[in-house]
Amino acid sequence: MTPKYLQTLEFDKVLARLEALCTFSLGRELARRLQPSTDYQEVLRRQRETAEARKLLSLRPGLALASARDVRELARQAAKGHVLQPGELLKIADTLQLARQVRGLVGSHRQQMPTLAALADRIADPSPLLQEIGRCIDRRGEVTDDASPVLGELRREVRRAHDRLVAHLERIVSSQTGRQALQEPLVTMREGRYVLPVRAEMRHMLPGIVHDVSASGATVFVEPLEVVEEANRWRELQLEEQREVERVLRRLSGLVGERAVAIRRAVEALARLDVALAKARLGDDLRCPLPLEGPDQPWLLPEPSRLRLVQARHPLLKGNVVPISLWLGPDEGFTVLLITGPNTGGKTVALKTAGLLCLMAQAGLPVPAEEGSALPVFDGIYADIGDEQSIEQSLSTFSSHLRNIVDILHRATARSLVLLDELGAGTDPTEGAALARALLLHLLARGCLTVATTHHGELKALAHDTPGMMNASVEFDPDTLAPTYHLRIGVPGQSNALHIAQRLGLPDDILEEARRALSPGHLEVERLLLDLQQERQRAAAERRALEEARRQAEALRDELERRLAALERERRLSLERARQRLEEELARARRRLHQAEKAVERAERSARGRRSLEQARRLLQQVAGQEQALAEEARPPALPLGQVRPGDRVWLRGVSEPGEVLAGPDEEGELEVRLGSLRARVPLAEVARAERPATALGPSASVPPPPAQARDQIEVRGMTLDEALPLVEEHLDAAFRAGLRHVRIVHGKGSGTLRRAVRELLSSHPLVKSYRPAEPREGGEGVTVVEVAQ
């Protein structure tokens, strides 16, 4: 991409906003140097990187790389043998610590962020170096005592030597000689040596080395001879400590030098990640729908088959920005789009928006355009926009435009985007229009996508009559004299010059003279354009009203369907609850019948037993009748035979099982029905009943019954036979309904009567597959374990 055209489209201003959102110095440098790519795979990788960065920020909104430092030069110096200072080593450690954290964070989301994970993989594990620097240098930037065994011992010797020296000096200060000779009872330091302030006239009382004299000469600062040896020892130990610190720093610098390449890669990976996060923040600031979330970016096209912008906004405009939509390309039926209309109407903004958004897309930046847009990867984007006349170079407006156009013609290919503003302006209108016509036809033949603006009316006719060209215009409200900034594809624009002049108060006689000077054809065209604009506005209003009515109708339909579905669900639930209650009553009746039969056997067919048996049987028949009635009620309503359709069930006369309709009634009134594995054509007269399956009412029409609740153990210990046996039967029934495989009956040992009765009941019960005594640790003969039949 040529820098001149990038600046024309204000790409540098977008990069300035991006740079301001970076938090790392090297990231800001990369943002300043960011250029659009012409390689589709690289553009796709960049957009995926931006999409993943937006995902990362949504997971970690406060993520920033402000603590990172560009330590590549420090690592390079260390690789050459230079000794780094503690503060420099801490900068390297802080940057590598951040790199390690970023590597772990991105790596933990590898499935969601494969592109960023590949970038984070460039960061080698810096843990060994971080541990060594952390062990040897504290957060104040000082080498620790643990940096080496020698250093720790040396520092202890330094402290002991210092303490001996100071104690000796304090004894001198507090001695009789000190009280007489010293100006003040204190110990001070000159040139790194401890000295005492001695009166000049008492100097002979305290022999020593003079290191300084006061300004008045009344005080001399003397290092007593008796402490010189101790002071020398202290100083020697300090020098040994410094040499050992130097050895530690040299060793650490050597470790940094060995990892200089890995450090450089880590810093560069952090910088690239910083730019990616800045792109994500820019997308949030501009409310950009693109790129899409995920690896697929269908809005990016490898070839310029079409350029489509949906509700696109210029990223540098502030306030209430009116979005534009435009499209062109071979797939759209035209490659040259000619925009006409009055000045200040938004033609130039439309050009810049199209060019700048394409540049942003190819640079991997978010794009402020709605989903449905399609941006190809161009090999060049060229723009001649604005007035570049130059007095120094003796260039007029027309000359500057022509110079740009000549350069564009040398560079543009069939894979380029060309943007031309005020085509044919700045010279004689007739010659300018002829030149503009020839340029448009040449660009059309070359095949590059071209968007141009002009005021020449002749070009409107050219765009209308030439295949591959299309007119467009910017709207202008003649009542308010204000542009609406809406772009209309397919309609040429009006100049509105006379109308604006009339609204602004130009005298009528002048306006009338101007109208007479216009050709009748021109006036007729302008009138037709005005009528067309008004007709489009009326059509748009009607379309909006129809859309609103359709939306309300769909909302009402959805609400009715929702209510019907809710009613059907409630009906089904009510039927299912009733069925469940009847089944429970039927189960209780069966239990009572079984109990009555047992009672009859025990009473040797006594009169009371026979009455109980007959009573239970009558109850069983009554409940069975209710169950059959409920089943009839739950059955879907019968269909009129004329409404039968494929998938419905039909009952044929004399056949007990239903069949499935495969084809509706034909002209002869016959259905195609499947009965088991047989297919047959059956007259409607043979159909006794037809109904629609419940599944046709929707997925929520059938509600499964809730599972029965049962425990896996029942205790009847201490009960009489009449109390215990019905409970055992009721529990077996509940266990069977709940799907339990085993139950435990706790009856106790006692005399064995209850145990024998329970096991006698189990031996003939239809729901019992087998039974056995429990294991000794589970209760032995006092518990019976039952395997329930399935």
Side-chain angles (χ1 to χ4, degrees):
M1 296 290 181
T2 308
K4 171 185 177 180
Y5 300 115
L6 297 182
Q7 187 172 6
T8 298
L9 292 170
E10 301 179 296
F11 183 68
D12 56 322
K13 295 181 180 179
V14 176
L15 292 186
R17 290 192 62 175
L18 179 68
E19 180 185 350
L21 293 171
C22 293
T23 59
F24 178 25
S25 60
L26 185 56
R28 288 190 287 271
E29 181 182 337
L30 291 182
R32 280 194 302 272
R33 295 190 285 108
L34 182 64
Q35 293 289 305
S37 173
T38 59
D39 180 72
Y40 171 74
Q41 292 299 329
E42 173 61 16
V43 173
L44 184 60
R45 187 199 64 78
R46 292 182 181 186
Q47 288 294 345
R48 286 172 175 168
E49 189 176 83
T50 302
E52 292 173 13
R54 297 183 81 169
K55 179 68 175 178
L56 182 59
L57 275 186
S58 69
L59 298 175
R60 292 285 298 272
L63 180 62
L65 308 181
S67 61
R69 297 290 182 272
D70 187 1
V71 295
R72 292 177 300 170
E73 179 60 25
L74 294 178
R76 189 182 66 82
Q77 292 178 4
K80 290 184 175 181
H82 294 187
V83 177
L84 302 181
Q85 296 305 305
E88 295 171 333
L89 290 168
L90 282 182
K91 287 182 180 180
I92 293 175
D94 290 343
T95 301
L96 293 181
Q97 176 66 22
L98 178 63
R100 181 171 65 176
Q101 293 172 353
V102 167
R103 180 174 180 261
L105 173 63
V106 176
S108 64
H109 298 90
R110 182 175 298 274
Q111 296 297 326
Q112 298 172 278
M113 308 171 191
T115 308
L116 289 183
L119 178 59
D121 288 342
R122 295 176 58 86
I123 302 174
D125 184 14
S127 298
L129 180 59
L130 286 176
Q131 292 172 359
E132 191 62 17
I133 294 178
R135 185 182 68 83
C136 297
I137 300 176
D138 61 22
R139 297 309 304 170
R140 295 173 298 175
E142 297 178 358
V143 178
T144 64
D145 292 354
D146 297 331
S148 75
V150 175
L151 182 60
E153 182 60 31
L154 281 174
R155 284 182 172 171
R156 286 188 288 273
E157 286 293 327
V158 167
R159 286 191 290 271
R160 287 193 290 267
H162 175 267
D163 293 343
R164 287 193 298 268
L165 173 61
V166 172
H168 196 161
L169 288 169
E170 288 176 348
R171 288 196 300 272
I172 295 174
V173 169
S174 60
S175 66
Q176 180 66 29
T177 302
R179 287 195 296 271
Q180 293 177 359
L182 297 183
Q183 193 75 262
E184 294 179 81
L186 58 83
V187 178
T188 186
M189 183 172 282
R190 290 292 187 273
E191 298 178 351
R193 309 283 290 193
Y194 281 113
V195 295
L196 300 176
V198 179
R199 296 189 182 99
E201 65 275 13
M202 299 293 182
R203 177 179 170 183
H204 63 280
M205 295 184 64
L206 192 62
I209 303 170
V210 177
H211 288 278
D212 198 6
V213 179
S214 66
S216 64
T219 304
V220 291
F221 295 92
V222 177
E223 179 182 8
L225 288 177
E226 57 186 287
V227 300
V228 168
E229 189 61 32
E230 291 178 348
N232 288 343
R233 177 57 181 163
W234 175 55
R235 182 58 180 163
E236 289 170 359
L237 290 172
Q238 284 181 313
L239 293 176
E240 288 186 28
E241 177 192 358
Q242 291 176 5
R243 285 192 292 270
E244 184 60 25
V245 167
E246 184 77 10
R247 281 193 291 271
V248 170
L249 295 179
R250 186 176 297 280
R251 181 175 60 83
L252 293 176
S253 299
L255 295 177
V256 170
E258 292 173 1
R259 294 164 176 78
V261 174
I263 292 173
R264 176 178 58 81
R265 289 178 178 171
V267 171
E268 291 173 353
L270 287 177
R272 287 179 54 184
L273 180 61
D274 189 40
V275 174
L277 293 174
K279 291 178 182 178
R281 296 187 188 98
L282 181 64
D284 292 342
D285 290 348
L286 297 177
R287 304 187 306 279
C288 296
L290 303 177
L292 303 174
E293 184 175 342
D296 296 331
Q297 302 295 332
W299 59 279
L300 278 177
L301 306 179
E303 297 294 333
S305 56
R306 62 189 173 110
L307 167 61
R308 174 176 285 269
L309 296 176
V310 179
Q311 298 293 295
R313 293 170 282 110
H314 195 288
L316 300 178
L317 293 180
K318 298 180 181 179
N320 188 19
V321 180
V322 178
I324 65 166
S325 296
L326 64 81
W327 56 91
L328 71 157
D331 290 356
E332 304 289 352
F334 56 95
T335 59
V336 176
L337 182 65
L338 185 67
I339 305 175
T340 53
N343 287 327
T344 72
K347 300 190 301 296
T348 303
V349 171
L351 282 183
K352 286 190 173 182
T353 301
L356 184 55
L357 265 57
C358 289
L359 290 175
M360 292 173 66
Q362 292 182 218
L365 297 172
V367 178
E370 295 297 326
E371 190 172 350
S373 300
L375 285 79
V377 176
F378 294 104
D379 64 359
I381 299 175
Y382 308 104
D384 174 42
I385 299 174
D387 186 358
E388 299 183 8
Q389 62 178 330
S390 172
I391 296 176
E392 291 83 359
Q393 299 179 17
S394 300
L395 290 176
S396 65
T397 299
F398 177 73
S399 299
S400 64
H401 280 300
L402 196 57
R403 194 170 187 176
N404 288 337
I405 290 173
V406 170
D407 183 66
I408 290 172
L409 292 177
H410 285 148
R411 297 174 182 272
T413 70
R415 298 187 66 251
S416 302
L417 174 64
V418 177
L419 308 170
L420 302 174
D421 191 27
E422 299 293 351
L423 190 59
T427 187
D428 177 75
T430 303
E431 293 185 355
L435 183 59
R437 174 189 177 90
L439 282 171
L440 290 176
L441 290 173
H442 178 82
L443 292 171
L444 176 64
R446 186 174 291 191
C448 49
L449 302 192
T450 304
V451 184
T453 70
T454 186
H455 285 288
H456 291 294
E458 297 90 333
L459 299 182
K460 302 177 188 177
L462 174 69
H464 179 75
D465 297 334
T466 306
M469 290 190 184
M470 180 63 67
N471 273 306
S473 61
V474 287
E475 290 183 351
F476 191 87
D477 190 338
D479 296 327
T480 62
L481 303 181
T484 65
Y485 302 109
H486 290 294
L487 185 65
R488 300 176 301 170
I489 308 294
V491 179
Q494 299 173 264
S495 66
N496 292 306
L498 297 181
H499 190 84
I500 295 172
Q502 184 178 19
R503 289 294 306 273
L504 292 177
L506 194 67
D508 292 340
D509 55 340
I510 299 177
L511 290 171
E512 188 60 32
E513 181 64 27
R515 289 191 181 96
R516 285 196 297 271
L518 293 173
S519 66
H522 179 83
L523 293 174
E524 181 64 18
V525 169
E526 290 295 322
R527 186 185 65 77
L528 290 175
L529 287 175
L530 179 61
D531 291 344
L532 179 60
Q533 179 179 354
Q534 293 173 349
E535 183 63 30
R536 285 173 61 92
Q537 290 173 348
R538 285 194 296 270
E542 292 176 359
R543 184 171 61 253
R544 287 192 296 271
L546 289 174
E547 286 291 330
E548 179 62 21
R550 183 182 62 81
R551 187 190 63 78
Q552 293 179 359
E554 290 180 351
L556 180 60
R557 182 195 63 192
D558 294 343
E559 177 65 16
L560 289 175
E561 289 180 351
R562 185 186 63 79
R563 291 184 180 183
L564 286 174
L567 288 173
E568 182 62 26
R569 285 195 301 271
E570 184 61 31
R571 187 181 75 85
R572 291 281 172 179
L573 278 173
S574 298
L575 290 175
E576 196 58 47
R577 293 190 189 107
R579 184 189 298 278
Q580 185 177 357
R581 285 196 300 272
L582 286 176
E583 287 179 354
E584 292 173 355
E585 292 178 9
L586 181 61
R588 284 196 295 271
R590 287 171 177 162
R591 288 194 298 273
R592 292 172 61 185
L593 176 62
H594 186 71
Q595 294 167 11
E597 290 175 345
K598 291 294 184 181
V600 167
E601 292 176 3
R602 287 194 297 269
E604 296 180 348
R605 301 185 181 277
S606 66
R608 181 180 179 184
R610 286 195 298 272
R611 285 196 301 272
S612 299
L613 179 61
E614 291 301 325
Q615 182 181 1
R617 283 175 175 166
R618 285 196 299 272
L619 178 60
L620 180 61
Q621 293 172 357
Q622 179 183 358
V623 173
Q626 292 177 354
E627 183 182 33
Q628 182 177 1
L630 181 61
E632 289 294 330
E633 181 183 352
R635 175 181 295 175
L639 288 172
L641 297 182
Q643 298 181 10
V644 172
R645 67 187 187 190
D648 292 341
R649 290 196 299 264
V650 293
W651 280 260
L652 304 182
R653 301 184 189 281
V655 180
S656 60
E657 293 298 324
E660 179 185 358
V661 177
L662 300 179
D666 56 14
E667 296 178 354
E668 299 179 359
E670 292 185 346
L671 300 173
E672 185 176 355
V673 179
R674 178 167 57 202
L675 292 168
S677 59
L678 299 177
R679 297 164 64 105
R681 300 198 66 82
V682 180
L684 282 175
E686 295 296 323
V687 178
R689 175 182 172 83
E691 67 179 36
R692 190 146 294 151
T695 55
L697 299 174
S700 59
S702 178
V703 180
Q709 300 295 318
R711 294 176 294 124
D712 61 355
Q713 178 172 305
I714 181 174
E715 184 167 342
V716 296
R717 183 169 42 192
M719 297 183 183
T720 65
L721 294 179
D722 291 338
E723 294 172 340
L725 295 180
L727 286 178
V728 170
E729 289 195 87
E730 184 175 347
H731 190 74
L732 288 173
D733 184 70
F736 175 78
R737 289 169 54 80
L740 297 180
R741 298 184 63 87
H742 296 88
V743 295
R744 301 173 75 251
I745 302 174
V746 181
H747 41 65
K749 298 179 180 179
S751 62
T753 302
L754 182 57
R755 179 180 71 244
R756 287 191 297 273
V758 167
R759 292 180 179 176
E760 180 182 353
L761 171 65
L762 297 177
S763 64
S764 60
H765 200 286
L767 299 181
V768 176
K769 182 177 181 181
S770 65
Y771 65 92
R772 61 174 175 82
E775 297 292 334
R777 65 177 182 277
E778 297 176 345
E781 288 295 333
V783 177
T784 299
V785 179
V786 180
E787 183 180 2
V788 182
Q790 299 296 319

